[in-house]
Amino acid sequence: MIQPEIIEELRQIVGPQNIQTDATDIYTYGYDASPEYYHEPDVVIAPANKAEIIEVLAICRREQLPIVARGSGSNLSGGTVPIAGGIVMTFTRMNQILEFDQQNLTLTVEPGVITKAINQYTASAGLFFPPDPGSMQISTIGGNISENSGGLRALKYGVTKDYVLGLEVVLANGMVVETGGKLTKDVAGLDLTQLMVGSEGTLGIITKAILKLMPIPEANKTMIATYRSMEAAAQSVSDIIAAKIIPATMEFLDQVTIKAVEDFAHVGLPTEAAAMLLIQQDGHPREIDADIATIEKICRQGDAIDVQVAKDEAEGAKLMAARRTALSALARVKPTTVLEDATVPRSEIAPLVKFINDTAKKYKLYIGTFGHAGDGNMHPTCLTDLRDKDEMKRVHLAFDEIYRKTIELGGTVTGEHGVGLAKLAYLPWKLGASGMWADAAIKAALDPDNILNPQKLYGRSEVAVHD
Amino acid sequence: MIQPEIIEELRQIVGPQNIQTDATDIYTYGYDASPEYYHEPDVVIAPANKAEIIEVLAICRREQLPIVARGSGSNLSGGTVPIAGGIVMTFTRMNQILEFDQQNLTLTVEPGVITKAINQYTASAGLFFPPDPGSMQISTIGGNISENSGGLRALKYGVTKDYVLGLEVVLANGMVVETGGKLTKDVAGLDLTQLMVGSEGTLGIITKAILKLMPIPEANKTMIATYRSMEAAAQSVSDIIAAKIIPATMEFLDQVTIKAVEDFAHVGLPTEAAAMLLIQQDGHPREIDADIATIEKICRQGDAIDVQVAKDEAEGAKLMAARRTALSALARVKPTTVLEDATVPRSEIAPLVKFINDTAKKYKLYIGTFGHAGDGNMHPTCLTDLRDKDEMKRVHLAFDEIYRKTIELGGTVTGEHGVGLAKLAYLPWKLGASGMWADAAIKAALDPDNILNPQKLYGRSEVAVHD
């Protein structure tokens, strides 16, 4: 428990309006968007600038006090749950767009900017920030950077790390590092920008980011293809790539998800299909027409039951919006939604999804699977009830098996949701002892007092991951 | 000086055919492709596999013996010069393409594979590896990864780091880390892949790489535009980007370079122009036609003296090949070529090039400037004579000023050639004390004995950079 004198010191730094200690106020900061992890912070503060952050970190070092940086808490792995207590730091007062440089196609922002606001800001200039995580309506860019968020457009456009050109970061020791810049090429020193991206707040506190923007594609076209089997759908994914077409989006939905989405969104999805692909291409109109025509042909030759091309962009947008409801649609089925993030080389989607379904049967669980087929990034989503201890035990046993299979298929334990607390036990399966050692060595070098989001990412064995 | 017993131990590990100690044999391993740095290694070895590398590193740790990994030595900053003596390790026996996975668009290679061989290998499948450093005919992929090499296509396609999906690396302590995989999305742990890329052999020895391939664009079109002033050329670069066109290549040549290239390659370049842009777009044929037409219009409106579109791909290839001779063409003018690598936000190209020319006049030097305008990556190239001590002194004073200006313009001290020895003194200007501290902390964590390419990248003050 944090001492009153320290609370008082923090109050002096950030001002009395920007500190919360009441149980009712701090309650929500003990959660993120994953259902299983909760730990209350001692105090929540909202600094105004990096000078205040430097002062706060000095207190953390002196008192060995944990500090967790938190955006909107929409992360899905327990990453911002302050498992060791201490301070939660929010960025509601550091939420300004600082500079829009149209000559260099960059936007400089504070960490508290809402992701969606970026695209609203740049759209009139014909520019966009491609990463589009499911939570972009509410997530902050600082959180996206810390988690290296993905989304639906990663196959063609990449993920958050591909659009962060530079960062300002306050290190645990109070030093301020400025990495990168408005530069396409920069090899001066180690790539600290990329080291910080996805480090889940364990190596520093991000106070500024230079983002790379892209021209908005002229047009887009959307289509769906439905299949009698998942294998046939997965084969079409491979055949499309083999035809040298890289669609902007190539989403997979299994029958459980199709039914849930249709029941929720009523867009006319074929609920009898075993699997469905939702594909969008963007670019020059003629190029899109050619690509979509080729994809349509490939899907038909690949035993699709039906292929439908949206008649215009509005209809395409409706289909994409329906896909974006997948999680909400599934979440209505049962009280608790365990959204997972198994990722394999795209050639291994069919074996992975088959294994997921077999495992669901084996453990008598209700799992719907959807995800980014082009990226091999699947979201098996278990619909369960946290209060049913017996079922939750089976959920964990099932996902243990699913993640072992994912690794066996050359995959990873998290494609875009982060390690947080949810994947801590699985992390060594991917990194091995050597990778765990290297990560921990870097953490110890940059944060020797282990104050920044402790008990995360480096697989401390004392953390009980489940139950 | 290394002791004979240790040489004998190394001989036992790699075999007698794969170790060199004679002065005449090891002479060339004291240089890279930059003119000013030389230091002889004690011994040169070519291991066959990672098991041998692990054994060698054990000896290095035990004996505090420096070891420098070296590809073809085509690097341009002294990066592979074994400034502290010890072992140079080459990869001539680890030069196999291990796997071509067309479903996942990846190629798995050993570090000694020649960069150009990658594209020769994948071309018939319609795939390519986009990074194209000037040295690709002879450079190794291991060297490219260690230096994060760029090239002419970076504006549209990015640099080496954007195409490395995973690595196998032997750390200084002998642990083998496998990072990443055939994965579009992977957020399990710190991004060690990106940390290793561009770390100039100081954090580990790369023994395998998984590279990302792209579909070869259907077609390309090339054009040149010539200008009476550098400012007008730079303005066209900005205007093209402002028109939301991202060309595959957008190269800049100043008059000194145009004259030298024309004199060397005889392709009919307009030697009276103050500056020239060489622009290539690739993609679907109709898209290219539209883009090139727009670019042509922008250049003409931007006071270009002349705009010429190559009549076909063969003529375009001839122009691109001529541009690729720029360095060789300039190098003929005087005995020594100091090729520099100043990089700024692309909006700052005109002020940078003007400053370079003013500085050349001030110090009575002959400097030609060419480079990747779309990336703001300029290569001011000083034609001089290493034996003229007075002139070399002025060369260094001039580049000190040029790099201070580069930093002032928001740029970096190296865009694609690496820090090596050439930029060691300038590195703190870009990274600041905090960045230098963070880099050194990571180095100390992963290589506490400082055996891997010591006295590089971390700005040890004991290293005299010039003279």
Side-chain angles (χ1 to χ4, degrees):
Chain A
M1 203 47 196
I2 195 166
Q3 290 166 318
E5 313 87 79
I6 296 168
I7 299 282
E8 191 45 41
E9 270 191 277
L10 293 170
R11 192 186 313 275
Q12 292 292 331
I13 294 169
V14 298
Q17 301 83 5
N18 306 304
I19 183 162
Q20 299 175 65
T21 53
D22 286 359
T24 47
D25 290 333
I26 63 177
Y27 177 75
T28 52
Y29 297 95
Y31 282 111
D32 68 359
S34 60
E36 291 191 75
Y37 310 100
Y38 179 75
H39 196 289
E40 219 160 81
D42 294 304
V43 54
V44 177
I45 58 174
N49 52 51
K50 70 177 179 234
E52 292 184 8
I53 294 173
I54 292 167
E55 286 188 69
V56 170
L57 286 172
I59 294 174
C60 292
R61 288 196 306 277
R62 193 190 71 208
E63 302 293 333
Q64 298 289 303
L65 195 62
I67 180 162
V68 179
R70 183 185 196 269
S72 299
S74 55
N75 48 302
L76 287 157
S77 58
T80 56
V81 171
I83 195 75
I87 300 171
V88 161
M89 180 176 277
T90 68
F91 296 87
T92 45
R93 298 171 71 210
M94 293 177 69
N95 63 354
Q96 297 303 301
I97 292 174
L98 300 175
E99 191 203 11
F100 183 18
D101 182 342
Q102 296 196 42
Q103 278 205 290
N104 293 304
L105 306 187
T106 62
L107 192 76
T108 305
V109 296
E110 289 189 311
V113 170
I114 300 297
T115 313
K116 199 188 176 184
I118 291 170
N119 283 317
Q120 289 169 335
Y121 194 90
T122 60
S124 62
L127 296 170
F128 81 125
F129 176 68
D132 62 340
S135 55
M136 64 185 293
Q137 307 262 359
I138 55 162
S139 66
T140 65
I141 186 66
N144 291 173
I145 293 170
S146 296
E147 300 286 330
N148 188 15
S149 302
L152 275 66
R153 289 193 283 239
L155 174 59
K156 185 170 183 175
Y157 291 102
V159 296
T160 301
K161 79 186 177 86
D162 301 305
Y163 296 90
V164 183
L165 294 176
L167 292 172
E168 181 186 79
V169 181
V170 183
L171 299 179
N173 64 7
M175 280 183 174
V176 179
V177 178
E178 286 183 66
T179 74
K182 294 178 182 175
L183 300 164
T184 306
K185 288 174 173 167
D186 178 15
V187 293
L190 301 180
D191 194 341
L192 295 183
T193 310
Q194 294 300 328
L195 185 68
M196 290 294 162
V197 175
S199 65
E200 306 193 9
T202 63
L203 299 183
I205 293 181
I206 295 165
T207 50
K208 198 158 77 180
I210 303 173
L211 307 176
K212 174 181 163 179
L213 303 172
M214 296 274 284
I216 296 175
E218 266 183 61
N220 66 67
K221 206 163 187 174
T222 308
M223 55 170 280
I224 58 175
T226 52
Y227 296 85
R228 267 176 215 95
S229 75
M230 289 177 314
E231 288 75 11
Q235 188 57 47
S236 284
V237 171
S238 289
D239 293 344
I240 291 163
I241 300 290
K244 313 284 178 305
I245 296 173
I246 311 284
T249 294
M250 186 146 58
E251 297 290 302
F252 170 94
L253 288 80
D254 75 353
Q255 189 168 36
V256 171
T257 312
I258 298 169
K259 282 180 174 166
V261 169
E262 181 55 25
D263 194 37
F264 183 78
H266 306 293
V267 283
L269 299 186
T271 52
E272 73 290 356
M276 181 184 121
L277 295 178
L278 170 64
I279 299 167
Q280 187 175 79
Q281 182 59 305
D282 61 17
H284 284 244
R286 283 180 186 142
E287 181 186 339
I288 298 171
D289 287 345
D291 281 357
I292 291 287
T294 307
I295 294 171
E296 190 177 347
K297 202 172 139 192
I298 289 169
C299 293
R300 287 193 194 282
Q301 285 170 348
D303 264 351
I305 307 169
D306 191 27
V307 180
Q308 286 182 31
V309 179
K311 67 176 191 300
D312 53 26
E313 292 194 13
E315 193 179 298
K318 227 170 89 183
L319 289 169
M320 292 295 287
R323 154 61 187 90
R324 285 187 183 274
T325 68
L327 179 59
S328 317
L330 286 167
R332 299 197 316 166
V333 178
K334 279 191 145 199
T336 303
T337 310
V338 178
L339 172 63
E340 287 293 340
D341 188 31
T343 304
V344 289
R346 79 173 69 85
S347 59
E348 306 301 330
I349 294 170
L352 175 66
V353 177
K354 187 178 179 317
F355 187 87
I356 291 169
N357 291 348
D358 291 349
T359 307
K361 258 181 223 147
K362 176 176 165 187
Y363 287 104
K364 301 186 179 62
L365 296 170
Y366 192 69
I367 298 182
T369 296
F370 62 96
H372 319 299
D375 311 330
N377 180 200
M378 291 290 121
H379 296 309
T381 302
C382 186
L383 311 172
T384 179
D385 188 338
L386 208 51
R387 295 160 299 188
D388 183 341
K389 294 288 173 204
D390 174 66
E391 182 162 299
M392 286 308 294
K393 204 167 170 181
R394 282 182 282 121
V395 170
H396 293 307
L397 289 171
F399 280 111
D400 283 356
E401 286 192 29
I402 289 167
Y403 279 106
R404 283 205 187 276
K405 182 71 181 180
T406 302
I407 293 292
E408 196 186 303
L409 293 169
T412 184
V413 298
T414 173
E416 57 182 10
H417 292 170
V419 174
L421 294 165
K423 301 298 158 54
L424 215 45
Y426 302 149
L427 190 60
W429 301 355
K430 173 65 173 74
L431 303 192
S434 304
M436 294 298 293
W437 178 86
D439 279 15
I442 292 167
K443 166 71 169 174
L446 295 183
D447 179 18
D449 298 312
N450 194 27
I451 54 173
L452 293 166
N453 207 0
Q455 299 183 25
K456 304 277 173 67
L457 211 53
Y458 308 96
R460 306 278 161 142
S461 55
E462 66 268 30
V463 179
V465 175
H466 309 136
D467 55 58
Chain B
M1 201 51 198
I2 196 168
Q3 289 166 319
E5 313 87 80
I6 296 168
I7 299 281
E8 192 44 41
E9 271 192 274
L10 293 170
R11 193 186 313 274
Q12 294 291 332
I13 295 169
V14 298
Q17 301 82 6
N18 305 304
I19 183 163
Q20 299 175 64
T21 52
D22 285 357
T24 47
D25 290 334
I26 63 178
Y27 177 76
T28 52
Y29 297 95
Y31 282 111
D32 67 359
S34 59
E36 292 190 74
Y37 309 100
Y38 179 75
H39 195 288
E40 220 159 80
D42 293 305
V43 53
V44 176
I45 58 174
N49 52 50
K50 69 178 181 233
E52 292 183 7
I53 294 173
I54 292 167
E55 286 188 69
V56 170
L57 286 172
I59 294 174
C60 292
R61 289 195 305 278
R62 194 190 70 206
E63 302 293 333
Q64 299 288 302
L65 194 62
I67 180 164
V68 179
R70 183 186 197 268
S72 299
S74 55
N75 49 302
L76 287 158
S77 58
T80 56
V81 172
I83 195 75
I87 300 172
V88 160
M89 180 176 277
T90 67
F91 296 88
T92 45
R93 298 171 71 208
M94 294 177 69
N95 62 354
Q96 297 303 302
I97 291 174
L98 300 173
E99 191 202 12
F100 182 19
D101 182 341
Q102 295 195 44
Q103 279 205 291
N104 293 305
L105 306 187
T106 61
L107 191 77
T108 305
V109 296
E110 288 188 313
V113 170
I114 300 298
T115 314
K116 199 188 176 183
I118 292 170
N119 282 318
Q120 288 168 337
Y121 193 90
T122 60
S124 62
L127 296 170
F128 81 125
F129 175 69
D132 62 341
S135 55
M136 63 185 293
Q137 307 262 359
I138 55 161
S139 65
T140 65
I141 186 66
N144 291 172
I145 293 169
S146 297
E147 299 287 329
N148 188 16
S149 302
L152 275 66
R153 289 193 284 239
L155 174 59
K156 184 169 182 175
Y157 290 102
V159 295
T160 300
K161 80 186 176 83
D162 300 306
Y163 296 90
V164 182
L165 295 176
L167 291 173
E168 181 185 80
V169 181
V170 184
L171 300 179
N173 64 7
M175 282 183 173
V176 179
V177 178
E178 286 183 66
T179 74
K182 293 177 184 175
L183 300 164
T184 306
K185 288 174 173 168
D186 179 15
V187 293
L190 301 180
D191 194 340
L192 295 184
T193 310
Q194 295 299 328
L195 186 66
M196 291 294 162
V197 175
S199 65
E200 306 192 9
T202 63
L203 299 182
I205 293 181
I206 295 165
T207 50
K208 198 157 76 180
I210 303 173
L211 307 176
K212 173 180 164 180
L213 303 173
M214 296 274 284
I216 296 175
E218 266 182 62
N220 65 66
K221 207 163 189 175
T222 308
M223 55 171 280
I224 58 175
T226 51
Y227 295 84
R228 266 175 217 95
S229 75
M230 289 177 315
E231 288 74 11
Q235 188 57 48
S236 283
V237 170
S238 289
D239 293 345
I240 291 163
I241 301 289
K244 313 286 177 303
I245 296 173
I246 310 284
T249 294
M250 186 148 55
E251 296 290 301
F252 170 94
L253 288 80
D254 73 354
Q255 191 169 33
V256 171
T257 312
I258 297 169
K259 282 180 175 168
V261 169
E262 181 54 24
D263 193 36
F264 182 78
H266 306 293
V267 284
L269 299 185
T271 51
E272 73 289 356
M276 183 184 119
L277 295 178
L278 170 64
I279 299 168
Q280 187 174 79
Q281 181 60 303
D282 61 16
H284 284 245
R286 282 178 186 143
E287 182 187 338
I288 298 171
D289 287 345
D291 281 357
I292 291 287
T294 307
I295 294 171
E296 192 178 344
K297 203 171 138 192
I298 289 169
C299 293
R300 288 193 192 281
Q301 285 170 350
D303 265 348
I305 308 169
D306 191 27
V307 180
Q308 286 181 31
V309 180
K311 66 176 193 298
D312 53 27
E313 292 195 13
E315 192 179 298
K318 227 171 89 185
L319 289 169
M320 293 294 287
R323 153 63 186 87
R324 284 186 183 277
T325 68
L327 179 58
S328 316
L330 286 168
R332 299 198 315 164
V333 178
K334 279 193 147 201
T336 303
T337 309
V338 178
L339 172 64
E340 287 294 339
D341 188 32
T343 303
V344 288
R346 77 174 70 84
S347 58
E348 307 300 331
I349 294 169
L352 176 66
V353 177
K354 187 178 179 315
F355 187 86
I356 291 169
N357 290 348
D358 291 350
T359 308
K361 259 182 223 146
K362 176 176 166 187
Y363 288 104
K364 301 188 179 59
L365 296 170
Y366 192 69
I367 298 182
T369 296
F370 62 97
H372 318 298
D375 311 331
N377 181 199
M378 290 291 122
H379 296 310
T381 301
C382 186
L383 311 173
T384 180
D385 187 338
L386 208 51
R387 296 160 298 186
D388 182 341
K389 294 290 173 202
D390 175 66
E391 182 162 299
M392 286 308 293
K393 205 167 169 183
R394 283 182 281 122
V395 170
H396 293 308
L397 289 171
F399 280 113
D400 284 357
E401 286 193 29
I402 289 167
Y403 279 106
R404 283 207 188 275
K405 181 71 179 182
T406 302
I407 293 293
E408 196 188 304
L409 294 169
T412 184
V413 298
T414 172
E416 58 182 9
H417 292 171
V419 175
L421 295 165
K423 301 298 157 54
L424 215 45
Y426 302 149
L427 190 61
W429 301 355
K430 173 65 172 73
L431 303 191
S434 304
M436 294 298 293
W437 177 86
D439 280 15
I442 293 166
K443 166 71 171 176
L446 296 183
D447 179 18
D449 299 310
N450 195 26
I451 54 172
L452 294 166
N453 207 0
Q455 299 183 25
K456 303 279 172 68
L457 212 57
Y458 307 98
R460 307 276 160 140
S461 55
E462 67 267 29
V463 180
V465 174
H466 309 137
D467 56 57

